[in-house]
Amino acid sequence: MPNAAAPPPRVLVLSTESGTGSGAYRLLEYFLDAARPWREQLLVVAPEDSDVFRTARRCAFPHLAWPATRDTFGRHLLAGLTLRVPPEIGVVHAWHTRGFEPALLLGRRLGARVAASLHDHPLDSAHSAARLRLLRLSARRMDALVSVGETLARAWTPFAGRVPLRVIRNGIPDAPRPAQAAATKVRVGYAGLYSPATKGWAFVREWVRRSILEAWPVEWRLFGLTGRDPALEKEVREIASGAPAGSVQVAGFTPTEAIFREIDLLVHPSNTFDPYPTLLLEAARAGLPVFCSDAGGSAEIVRDGETGRVFSLAAAGDAALRLRELIEDPAGRARMGAAARRDYETCHAAPSMVSAYFSFWAGLAAGRVARSD
């Protein structure tokens, strides 16, 4: 619980995304679920049709509907000017880059400190040149920033300038390790077919074909096929139909808890910057080893040789051999899975994330936030 000797600040957490939103907003839902003991210290502001708003209401947090009806710069600024907010707010915190500018406006109106969380690379392809300039300007007007990982923090440093930038790693709610049926072969899962160009399908395609030619003791579980890409669907179906019976199985979007009941090893070979993949936190929670690339923050979650294997994109030609070695090492996989579960418990549980944020906000309100080392 917060320290009673020093009255904590009241914090307005701003989420501007409607509907279900991206993975960053799911993390905010996890945060709210774990932050119930601090509920009177928070004011959640989110669109009324968003999952974040529904979570705040379900968890009995004080909440207000964000009045922007469209996700545009002008509508967000107008909402920031017109939203009626209680005056005792000490910190305004934007949960994502889309909320930078309205959070700054709210903070100036309320005389509050302003901070924001960084979940994506600043040079994400979704940002236009004008948006990038605005991000740089807005980031440097913040009182402090939070990055979900060290690699992402380094990417944001040129944008943040001298603004204090603190690393607070994402956390997810606890769940028991899934019970897994015995299998005669190693079941390897890949959940990236929904975004094959960025989630490394080219690597997985090569590994699947090689495993068939070389008779690896493996069965593949491929998840996330959407049907929106006929060429991809044809390719995946042809690979599955040409493989030995049952050795390549294909599915659409599947809850991660169901995926982790069906696999012994997760592969996650992202070939573009992957800031801090929640999927890898979920794998650690499930006690599963991971074979991943070093793109972005994956190597901060998966410790090479200890909780899985990390291959370098600069030396990707060796990846298939390293994957096969892991597949043929049952004792190593068991050891790595157990270590991954311990990492989840000590570093990535949702209560740890909540405590770190409240400590950060208390320091920010008191003017005590410095850059992470």
Side-chain angles (χ1 to χ4, degrees):
M1 292 292 290
N3 184 356
R10 184 100 185 273
V11 181
L12 184 157
V13 176
L14 175 63
S15 168
T16 61
E17 183 84 356
S18 298
T20 299
S22 64
Y25 298 98
R26 178 59 56 85
L27 264 298
L28 178 52
E29 294 171 46
Y30 294 158
F31 177 94
L32 294 176
D33 267 319
R36 298 184 198 208
W38 289 270
R39 61 164 59 93
E40 294 307 319
Q41 199 178 320
L42 288 183
L43 173 63
V44 180
V45 178
E48 198 166 8
D49 67 344
S50 68
D51 284 353
V52 169
F53 187 88
R54 285 186 280 270
T55 300
R57 185 165 52 194
R58 172 175 58 80
C59 296
F61 280 90
H63 55 278
L64 291 173
W66 181 240
T69 55
R70 294 175 59 190
D71 185 15
T72 65
F73 177 72
R75 294 297 179 96
H76 285 316
L77 286 186
L78 180 61
L81 284 168
T82 58
L83 183 70
R84 301 185 66 179
V85 183
E88 68 272 15
I89 298 297
V91 174
V92 175
H93 190 99
W95 194 256
H96 200 272
T97 53
R98 297 299 295 178
F100 272 23
E101 294 80 26
L104 285 166
L105 183 57
L106 284 169
R108 299 302 177 261
R109 280 180 55 199
L110 298 168
R113 302 275 187 171
V114 185
S117 292
L118 309 174
H119 296 271
D120 297 318
H121 196 286
L123 301 180
D124 189 292
S125 59
H127 298 319
S128 66
R131 179 64 186 157
L132 282 174
R133 289 193 295 271
L134 189 58
L135 275 180
R136 183 186 295 268
L137 177 64
S138 300
R140 295 188 176 202
R141 293 170 65 88
M142 294 285 174
D143 294 301
L145 293 164
V146 171
S147 170
V148 300
E150 299 282 356
T151 309
L152 185 63
R154 289 193 292 271
W156 270 93
T157 296
F159 279 73
R162 300 181 64 83
V163 173
L165 205 165
R166 180 64 56 84
V167 173
I168 298 178
R169 290 176 174 81
N170 288 336
I172 58 175
D174 196 8
R177 295 180 66 169
Q180 296 173 317
T184 58
K185 294 183 177 181
V186 180
R187 299 165 299 176
V188 180
Y190 169 68
L193 286 176
Y194 68 95
S195 184
T198 63
K199 299 301 181 183
W201 165 242
F203 290 119
V204 176
R205 177 178 57 208
E206 175 196 345
W207 299 339
V208 171
R209 288 172 172 165
R210 187 164 171 174
S211 72
I212 294 169
L213 289 173
E214 299 176 1
W216 294 5
V218 64
E219 294 178 355
W220 291 90
R221 304 285 192 271
L222 309 178
F223 301 95
L225 196 62
T226 65
R228 294 195 299 262
D229 186 340
L232 174 68
E233 180 152 9
K234 180 181 179 183
E235 178 183 55
V236 173
R237 299 293 183 191
E238 286 178 350
I239 291 173
S241 63
S247 63
V248 180
Q249 300 180 27
V250 183
F253 281 110
T254 306
T256 52
E257 59 269 23
I259 291 176
F260 295 143
R261 285 196 299 268
E262 297 182 22
I263 68 173
D264 306 297
L265 170 66
L266 177 73
V267 295
H268 187 78
S270 295
N271 51 9
T272 59
F273 192 96
D274 210 343
Y276 207 74
T278 302
L279 180 67
L280 303 191
L281 304 184
E282 294 169 329
R285 180 180 64 186
L288 287 174
V290 172
F291 186 79
C292 68
S293 73
D294 61 356
S298 295
E300 295 180 52
I301 302 170
V302 180
R303 294 183 289 122
D304 187 39
E306 297 183 51
T307 63
R309 290 289 185 185
V310 181
F311 73 91
S312 170
L313 288 177
D318 297 331
L321 178 60
R322 295 191 69 195
L323 174 59
R324 182 171 184 177
E325 290 174 349
L326 185 57
I327 287 170
E328 295 178 343
D329 182 11
R333 292 197 315 275
R335 171 179 55 80
M336 292 174 182
R341 174 66 193 191
R342 289 194 296 272
D343 273 9
Y344 160 72
E345 292 171 349
T346 57
C347 303
H348 294 120
S352 297
M353 171 178 63
V354 170
S355 296
Y357 265 101
F358 278 98
S359 176
F360 164 77
W361 288 327
L364 177 60
R368 296 193 308 265
V369 172
R371 295 183 67 87
S372 293
D373 294 333

